[in-house]
Amino acid sequence: MNLLIRLPNWLGDSVMATFALEILYQTYPKAHFYLVGSKVSCALFSHYPNTTTIIDNSKQANSRILALYKLSKAIPPCEIAITFQNNFLSALFLFFNRSKKRIGYANELRSYLLTLHPKKPKKLHESLRFARLVESLIPNHSIAPKLYLKHPKISITLPPHFHNQKIAGINAGASFGNAKRWEEKYFAEVIEDLLNNNFCVILFGIESENPINQKILSHLQKSDKILNLSGKTSIPELMAYFLKLQILITNDSGPMHIAAAFNIPTIALFGPTDEEETCPFNAKNSHILSLKTIHKALPCQPCKKRSCPLPNNSTNHHACMRELKPAFVITKIHSLIS
């Protein structure tokens, strides 16, 4: 039996889809899974058994539809195909494969391409939205609602003086947009406190986020207890490093969801995004900090914008993150590490 899954493109969305995927993997343990998605989404599952990951590069093709057709024909016809994307082309991709059961939310006039097309529910956590698609096929399952991510089968090397030390991770980037990013000098204040409490610190981020981490470092004295890994880790390596952490401080981002899946103690900083839809899903060791959680919520939250829509010279510009002061985060860290 073959199953075809069109993954979300974003790293965080793909992690949030793991509850839905776990239902499928446990319901069809002898099936072979074809997971199609972006480079980062495929990297999450490259070590999964009975799984072939395929990177979709059709956006770079002269004819995207032709590229999707050829990609679909390179995959054996599947008994079940599900798209976690909500666009027309992802449904067309399933149709091209001639999968017997094609499942996706009714959207962009694509229902005629799908054999099962429920209406997309509103005001629901993204993990549950993905799961609802699978549950339209498998309504009766006993899989606990949480994030599922298998540990990578690789080893990483830490500096010798990091061994047997408490390690904190800092994820100061956010690929969706700068509105979700906490200020660099605020992260620097938190790092300084961590160093004073005998933590070693690892800065994470993709290569384009290295300027963010360099700005953080510019606010700090040079220390061999800080390791900057910007642009130096693959997704499997990132997961392996996360497994070494005692705590992670992060913006709302893909790495935040990886930490939630691994049950790593996490402080997640929220501003413009909707906590009810994208918070760490059923992660008992994840803690959200926002103006809302400290009872100072702004009327514009959550705006869900990539950049703050308020004028740069306005006193309220990016206030959802700017007014979330380091003292709140440091107090929360101390309550966790004590």
Side-chain angles (χ1 to χ4, degrees):
M1 181 179 187
N2 295 321
L3 275 75
L4 172 60
I5 310 295
R6 185 43 172 101
L7 297 169
N9 282 333
W10 293 96
L11 177 66
D13 287 355
S14 293
V15 181
M16 286 189 284
T18 57
F19 170 40
L21 285 170
E22 188 68 14
I23 298 171
L24 292 168
Y25 273 101
Q26 291 201 30
T27 303
Y28 305 109
K30 295 182 180 180
H32 191 88
F33 287 76
Y34 293 90
L35 305 186
V36 180
S38 65
K39 184 178 179 179
V40 292
S41 63
C42 286
L44 284 169
F45 309 104
S46 59
H47 58 293
Y48 273 45
N50 305 325
T51 299
T52 300
T53 55
I54 302 170
I55 298 173
D56 177 7
N57 291 318
S58 62
K59 274 189 177 182
Q60 287 74 49
N62 291 329
S63 171
R64 189 173 183 187
I65 291 178
L66 179 59
L68 284 173
Y69 178 80
K70 290 180 178 179
L71 182 62
S72 73
K73 294 305 179 184
I75 300 169
C78 296
E79 282 75 12
I80 298 170
I82 300 174
T83 175
F84 291 136
Q85 292 192 326
N86 295 311
N87 55 50
F88 179 84
L89 288 178
S90 65
L92 184 63
F93 175 69
L94 304 191
F95 180 80
F96 282 155
N97 180 258
R98 294 298 178 183
S99 307
K100 292 180 181 178
K101 295 180 181 179
R102 302 183 298 276
I103 304 165
Y105 282 125
N107 200 55
E108 292 194 7
L109 303 176
R110 65 184 192 162
S111 295
Y112 72 93
L113 297 171
L114 303 167
T115 59
L116 196 57
H117 40 82
K119 187 177 180 180
K120 185 179 179 182
K122 297 180 179 180
K123 295 184 178 180
L124 195 67
H125 194 282
E126 198 68 13
S127 288
L128 293 175
R129 281 201 191 104
F130 292 135
R132 288 285 175 88
L133 270 181
V134 173
E135 287 166 346
S136 65
L137 175 71
I138 310 167
N140 301 313
H141 66 83
S142 58
I143 311 304
K146 63 176 185 176
L147 301 179
Y148 293 82
L149 201 56
K150 297 185 186 299
H151 290 190
K153 298 178 180 180
I154 62 169
S155 59
I156 47 94
T157 303
L158 288 167
H161 59 282
F162 274 54
H163 295 171
N164 301 317
Q165 299 295 313
K166 297 179 295 183
I167 303 175
I170 300 290
N171 180 61
S175 297
F176 178 77
N178 59 18
K180 297 190 347 182
R181 282 176 35 211
W182 208 40
E183 295 192 17
E184 289 89 349
K185 63 181 179 180
Y186 287 3
F187 275 113
E189 286 187 45
V190 169
I191 291 171
E192 189 171 18
D193 185 80
L194 287 166
L195 295 175
N196 290 336
N197 281 276
N198 300 315
F199 272 85
C200 292
V201 176
I202 301 178
L203 305 181
F204 296 100
I206 59 178
E207 188 174 0
S208 62
E209 292 168 344
N210 191 45
I212 298 171
N213 284 335
Q214 289 297 337
K215 193 170 182 180
I216 291 172
L217 292 171
S218 72
H219 293 287
L220 296 163
Q221 292 185 353
K222 190 173 182 179
S223 171
D224 65 354
K225 289 189 173 183
I226 302 175
L227 177 62
N228 181 9
L229 292 181
S230 301
K232 298 178 181 178
T233 59
S234 63
I235 297 299
E237 287 169 339
L238 175 72
M239 292 192 283
Y241 276 107
F242 270 25
L243 291 169
K244 302 290 185 181
L245 300 180
Q246 274 69 55
I247 191 169
L248 175 71
I249 297 92
T250 177
N251 297 321
D252 175 16
S253 61
M256 175 193 75
H257 295 293
I258 291 175
F262 289 159
N263 210 22
I264 296 165
T266 300
I267 295 176
L269 309 173
F270 272 70
T273 44
D274 191 337
E275 300 164 19
E276 294 182 3
E277 293 183 347
T278 62
C279 68
F281 181 60
N282 285 358
K284 63 181 181 179
N285 284 333
S286 294
H287 307 270
I288 296 172
L289 272 186
S290 68
L291 293 184
K292 180 180 177 181
T293 63
I294 59 175
H295 309 295
K296 294 184 178 183
L298 301 174
C300 57
Q301 289 179 274
C303 71
K304 300 184 183 181
K305 303 292 186 182
R306 290 177 180 264
S307 299
C308 179
L310 300 176
N312 288 344
N313 57 358
S314 166
T315 56
N316 292 323
H317 179 74
H318 209 209
C320 62
M321 295 299 271
R322 196 166 32 80
E323 294 303 317
L324 186 62
K325 302 296 184 181
F328 298 123
V329 178
I330 291 170
T331 299
K332 187 65 178 180
I333 291 173
H334 287 191
S335 72
L336 294 179
I337 65 177
S338 63

